[in-house]
Structure formats: structure tokens, C-alpha cells
């Protein structure tokens, strides 16, 4: 008996003849194309995705944007501070917003808040994306290994993930980073390692669960029957089918990492000054709130819009890639 080829779920279905209209062909569509069609119908998710794209573009082009619309990030403008009120609040209303200072100025120093916010986006997104990349890499290796090989290795990795999840991360991060040298590159690298190194169990559990299900599927059994090695099965059969949940969870873990970086900066153990950070802007704004509420509103809205955009896009991407999840 001849056995036909087994089609993996990630492959594109071939074109077939339309039985209703003889002579015409129905074009096959890949899963990626089907997901993109669903995503385009979700206007909320699409708006979130466009916002995320614009935020990334702002972070990358921060020097050019600041040169065109702002002022040097650490340049003081004492003439924009009202001397009649103790030299604290900016001159004018709404925190000193004007055609020269699009988002106003910082109390006391008079630094341009627009430049602080766009360079703060660069800091937050860099740490969040790098930490997410590290977490995803570790989570894939551990999750696939535990789910595919099972046995004692699965038990060992599962208990290790439970241990990491029970660890008081925020206290550990504060204790560790506060005693490190206050250099920008070193602090940034340590924050990436700490955030990514303790958030990987979340995606590791998801990958492990999906791998346990996929390893029993027909296309994996077919690969085993023809003598495919474990390495080939993992990279050719499992990982392509794990791409969707990994991509979805990555978009949902990025805003969590943004909030974590902002929290560390708010507590004074983030990137050292004068490097702009949304969290430290909020921390500084606490003492000036009664003089200039806009100084707290602007970085707060930057964090809110960024986190909301990533969450909306992540939810829409999940619905597009797995429409059965909400049923």
C-alpha cells in the first residue's frame, strides 16, 4: 500500500479546481495570508499595530525628530521658568507649552519635555525589546526541551520554572541594580538580563504545553517513521508550528517589560541620569505636581498609550492567528 505525503499545518494548501465552475481554479492561501486577512478586519488591533510602528519609528529616529522639533535633551532654559513663584513652575499655562516647546518644559531646569519623552521612548523600547528577545530565546529552548523529551528533563525544567516564578523579582532587581556602578551601558545591560532572565518561564510554560500537544500529531509521527532525527523534527516540524503562539505572547510581554523598566526608574534604580526615562520623569514629577501637573501627565500618557497599543495589537494578533481561542 502506498502512503501519500503528510502535509504539515504550516504548509500552503495547493490550488484546486472549483467544482462549481469547471475550468476555474481556487487559489490556495497560506496560514499567514489568512491571518493577515483576519487582522485587517480588526480595526482596533490595526490601530494598535500602527501606533506601535510609529512608536518604534520615533525611537529609532529620535535624534532627527528632536533636531527638527525639539531642543538638546539636557539643555537648560532658565528663561522659561517663572521667577515669581520660587523658580519652579514654567512660564505660561499648560506647563509652558508653546510653538518652541511642544510638550512644555521641565520645572526648575527648563529642559525640553518633548526631547525627554522621545528619548525616553528610545530607552524604554530598547530595554523592553531586548529583554523580551532574551526571555523568548530562553523560553523556547527550555519549553521545547521539556515538552519534546519529557521524563526527568520535563520534571526538572518544570520545577525550575516554578522556582523562578516564585522569586521576588522586584526586590531582587532593586537590591542588585542599586549596588551596581551607575553607568548607562552597564545599568541597561543588567536591567535587560534581570527582566528577561526572570520573565522567560511564562513563555516557557506556553511553549512546553504546545510542544506536548504537537509531538503527538500525525506529521511528527510521520517524520519519526521515516527516520528523521530529533533535531530535524524540532526545527522543521515543531518550531514552525510554535511561531504563532510565540509571536503573540512576545507582543503581550513587551508592555509588561516597559512597565517594569518604568517602575525601576521610578524607584531610582533604573538607567542613571541624565539618560531620559519615562519612569524617572514620573518620579521627578511627584514633587512638582502642585506646581505643574502637565509634567506628570505627559510621561504618564506616553506610558499609557504605548502599553495600550501593544496590548490591543497583541490581542488582535492572537485572534487572527487562533480564531478558535475565543469560542
Amino acid at each position: 500500500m502506498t502512503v501519500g505525503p503528510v502535509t504539515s499545518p504550516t504548509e500552503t494548501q495547493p490550488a484546486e479546481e472549483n467544482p462549481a465552475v469547471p475550468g476555474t481554479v481556487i487559489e490556495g492561501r497560506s496560514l499567514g495570508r489568512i491571518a493577515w486577512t483576519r487582522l485587517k478586519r480588526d480595526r482596533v488591533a490595526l490601530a494598535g499595530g500602527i501606533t506601535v510602528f510609529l512608536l518604534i519609528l520615533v525611537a529609532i529616529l529620535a535624534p532627527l525628530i528632536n533636531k527638527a522639533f525639539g531642543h538638546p535633551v539636557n539643555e537648560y532654559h532658565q528663561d522659561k521658568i517663572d521667577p515669581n513663584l520660587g523658580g519652579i513652575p514654567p512660564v505660561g499655562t499648560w506647563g509652558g507649552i508653546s510653538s518652541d516647546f511642544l510638550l512644555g518644559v521641565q520645572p526648575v531646569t527648563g529642559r525640553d519635555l518633548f526631547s525627554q519623552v522621545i528619548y525616553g521612548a528610545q530607552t524604554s523600547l530598547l530595554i523592553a525589546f531586548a529583554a523580551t528577545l532574551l526571555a523568548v530565546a530562553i523560553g523556547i529552548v527550555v519549553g521545547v526541551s521539556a515538552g519534546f523529551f519529557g521524563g526527568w528533563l520535563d520534571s526538572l525544567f518544570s520545577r525550575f520554572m516554578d522556582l523562578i516564578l516564585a522569586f521576588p523579582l522586584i526586590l531582587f532587581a532593586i537590591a542588585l541594580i542599586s549596588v551596581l556602578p551607575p553607568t548607562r551601558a552597564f545599568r541597561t545591560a543588567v536591567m535587560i538580563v534581570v527582566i528577561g532572565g526572570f520573565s522567560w518561564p511564562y513563555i516557557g510554560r506556553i511553549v512546553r504545553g504546545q510542544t506536548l500537544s504537537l509531538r503527538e500529531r500525525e506529521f511528527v509521527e510521520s517524520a519519526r517513521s521515516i527516520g528523521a532525527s530529533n533535531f530535524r523534527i524540532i526545527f522543521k516540524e515543531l518550531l514552525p508550528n510554535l511561531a504563532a503562539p510565540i509571536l503573540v505572547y512576545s507582543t503581550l510581554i513587551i508592555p509588561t517589560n516597559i512597565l517594569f523598566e518604568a517602575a525601576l526608574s521610578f524607584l531610582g534604580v533604573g538607567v542613571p541620569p541624565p539618560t531620559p526615562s519615562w519612569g524617572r520623569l514620573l518620579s521627578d514629577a511627584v514633587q512638582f505636581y502642585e506646581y505643574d501637573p502637565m509634567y506628570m501627565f505627559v510621561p504618564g500618557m506616553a506610558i499609557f498609550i504605548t502599553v495600550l497599543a501593544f496590548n490591543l495589537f497583541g490581542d488582535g494578533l492572537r485572534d487572527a492567528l487562533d480564531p478558535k481561542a475565543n469560542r
Side-chain angles (χ1 to χ4, degrees):
M1 182 178 67
T2 303
V3 179
V6 178
T7 303
S8 173
T10 57
E11 296 179 5
T12 303
Q13 298 298 325
E16 299 178 354
E17 183 175 346
N18 188 351
V21 185
T24 62
V25 176
I26 301 176
E27 182 183 357
R29 295 190 300 171
S30 66
L31 294 180
R33 185 174 177 183
I34 295 173
W36 170 241
T37 302
R38 295 195 192 106
L39 185 62
K40 286 192 297 183
R41 298 193 189 118
D42 191 343
R43 295 185 179 180
V44 175
L46 207 58
I50 293 173
T51 304
V52 167
F53 175 76
L54 292 177
L55 287 168
I56 296 174
L57 202 62
V58 166
I60 295 174
L61 302 177
L64 296 178
I65 296 173
N66 187 60
K67 186 176 180 180
F69 301 102
H71 299 79
V73 66
N74 291 316
E75 183 177 84
Y76 286 20
H77 300 273
Q78 294 294 338
D79 57 315
K80 299 299 179 181
I81 302 300
D82 193 345
N84 299 321
L85 295 174
I88 296 178
V91 175
T93 57
W94 300 101
I97 292 179
S98 65
S99 58
D100 290 332
F101 296 89
L102 301 180
L103 296 178
V105 298
Q106 185 179 19
V108 180
T109 63
R111 290 189 297 180
D112 185 9
L113 194 52
F114 176 79
S115 62
Q116 294 279 322
V117 168
I118 63 173
Y119 276 103
Q122 197 176 61
T123 301
S124 294
L125 292 181
L126 170 64
I127 294 175
F129 273 96
T132 301
L133 185 63
L134 177 62
V136 168
I138 299 175
I140 290 175
V141 172
V142 175
V144 170
S145 300
F148 183 76
F149 295 105
W152 66 269
L153 188 64
D154 184 19
S155 299
L156 177 64
F157 282 154
S158 296
R159 299 295 77 77
F160 184 59
M161 286 189 281
D162 292 338
L163 178 65
I164 296 295
L165 291 174
F167 203 81
L169 176 56
I170 186 70
L171 296 179
F172 174 77
I174 293 173
L176 176 65
I177 299 175
S178 61
V179 299
L180 296 176
T183 58
R184 176 183 179 182
F186 190 70
R187 281 275 185 96
T188 301
V190 171
M191 290 177 67
I192 291 172
V193 171
V194 169
I195 297 174
F198 282 88
S199 60
W200 65 264
Y202 298 100
I203 193 167
R205 281 185 164 183
I206 293 175
V207 172
R208 173 186 173 274
Q210 292 291 326
T211 303
L212 286 172
S213 174
L214 289 173
R215 74 177 185 178
E216 306 299 333
R217 299 284 294 273
E218 292 82 0
F219 61 93
V220 175
E221 294 295 335
S222 175
R224 283 200 186 99
S225 67
I226 62 176
S229 64
N230 290 335
F231 182 85
R232 180 177 179 83
I233 292 174
I234 290 173
F235 281 88
K236 294 294 185 180
E237 304 294 342
L238 294 181
L239 286 181
N241 289 285
L242 290 170
I246 290 172
L247 181 61
V248 170
Y249 191 77
S250 298
T251 59
L252 294 175
I253 200 176
I254 288 174
T256 303
N257 292 340
I258 291 175
L259 290 175
F260 195 90
E261 183 278 329
L264 291 178
S265 297
F266 183 85
L267 295 173
V269 292
V271 290
T275 305
S277 170
W278 289 343
R280 194 173 59 255
L281 287 176
L282 281 176
S283 179
D284 295 340
V286 171
Q287 57 183 320
F288 301 124
Y289 180 75
E290 60 179 318
Y291 298 101
D292 182 16
M294 285 297 295
Y295 186 38
M296 179 176 287
F297 177 79
V298 172
M301 284 302 298
I303 296 175
F304 173 76
I305 292 173
T306 303
V307 172
L308 180 63
F310 272 104
N311 283 328
L312 292 177
F313 179 64
D315 287 340
L317 194 61
R318 178 187 59 197
D319 295 340
L321 294 173
D322 188 11
K324 296 180 181 179
N326 292 331
R327 293 182 182 178

